[in-house]
Amino acid sequence: MNVYSNNIVNENDYQYVRINDGEKQNIVQYGDVLFTLSSETPEEVGVGSVYLGIDEVFLNSFCFGFHIENKELAYPPYFSYYVSSTPFRKFIYPFAQGSTRFNLCKADFEKTSIKLPSLENQKHIYAILNRITEKIETEKSLLEHYTTQKQYLLHQMFI
């Protein structure tokens, strides 16, 4: 659910699992792009999130991930917006297969390539989108405060 709910994996929302001796688990590293494998609708298959944390965490069987080796080609925080963009969602949609339960065809997806802006442009795009996101969060917080204030004042009028 962490990958479904967040563009950047929430480090405060992990589930713990027991790893038995000899059991192989995939470790998630900073900058890894994670995708959901299955959903009830094709629109929700391949929902992505980026891990920007430092804790050692493991990838569960409901997701798969890509590790970006060449940091000169890709800026991991940029992917937090890219994987939820309309062009990327349209790109990934054909990889959803199924009729009652849809699954991402990981093998076909891994064979494809994507075009990215230059590293400089990725950083610039991320900075702009991040500022917009912060502004939206600030406005939501203000709205909540104003709503609370309005309720208080209305309550005072009718005492």
Side-chain angles (χ1 to χ4, degrees):
M1 288 308 297
N2 202 330
V3 173
Y4 271 116
S5 305
N6 305 296
N7 290 355
I8 297 174
V9 173
N10 181 348
E11 290 188 270
N12 300 316
D13 190 22
Y14 295 138
Q15 290 81 37
Y16 294 93
V17 295
R18 180 182 310 274
I19 300 173
N20 298 319
D21 292 336
E23 186 178 349
K24 184 182 181 306
Q25 292 290 324
N26 294 313
I27 296 174
V28 180
Q29 299 175 14
Y30 177 88
D32 286 357
V33 184
L34 311 175
F35 295 97
T36 59
L37 282 171
S38 181
S39 181
E40 294 175 4
T41 65
E43 295 83 15
E44 292 180 351
V45 173
V47 172
S49 185
V50 177
Y51 181 69
L52 300 177
I54 56 172
D55 293 340
E56 184 176 88
V57 296
F58 299 93
L59 189 60
N60 70 22
S61 60
F62 300 106
C63 297
F64 76 98
F66 287 105
H67 181 68
I68 300 167
E69 294 288 334
N70 190 342
K71 303 295 187 214
E72 295 175 12
L73 294 178
Y75 182 58
Y78 168 78
F79 283 97
S80 66
Y81 291 104
Y82 180 73
V83 296
S84 62
S85 69
T86 301
F88 185 79
R89 297 302 309 150
K90 285 182 180 178
F91 165 77
I92 206 166
Y93 185 81
F95 297 105
Q97 299 175 350
S99 57
T100 57
R101 182 100 184 142
F102 294 88
N103 297 294
L104 185 65
C105 184
K106 184 177 161 187
D108 289 344
F109 182 69
E110 289 175 337
K111 292 177 189 174
T112 64
S113 61
I114 57 172
K115 293 183 180 184
L116 295 173
S118 70
L119 186 63
E120 181 180 313
N121 281 343
Q122 289 177 50
K123 290 178 180 181
H124 184 70
I125 292 166
Y126 171 77
I128 291 169
L129 292 175
N130 196 47
R131 279 189 227 118
I132 292 169
T133 300
E134 289 172 355
K135 176 69 172 164
I136 290 170
E137 292 304 314
T138 300
E139 296 300 323
K140 283 181 182 177
S141 178
L142 279 171
L143 180 60
E144 287 176 22
H145 284 65
Y146 286 140
T147 301
T148 302
Q149 185 178 27
K150 175 184 169 185
Q151 290 171 349
Y152 171 78
L153 293 172
L154 286 172
H155 180 74
Q156 294 302 313
M157 284 175 52
F158 298 109
I159 290 183

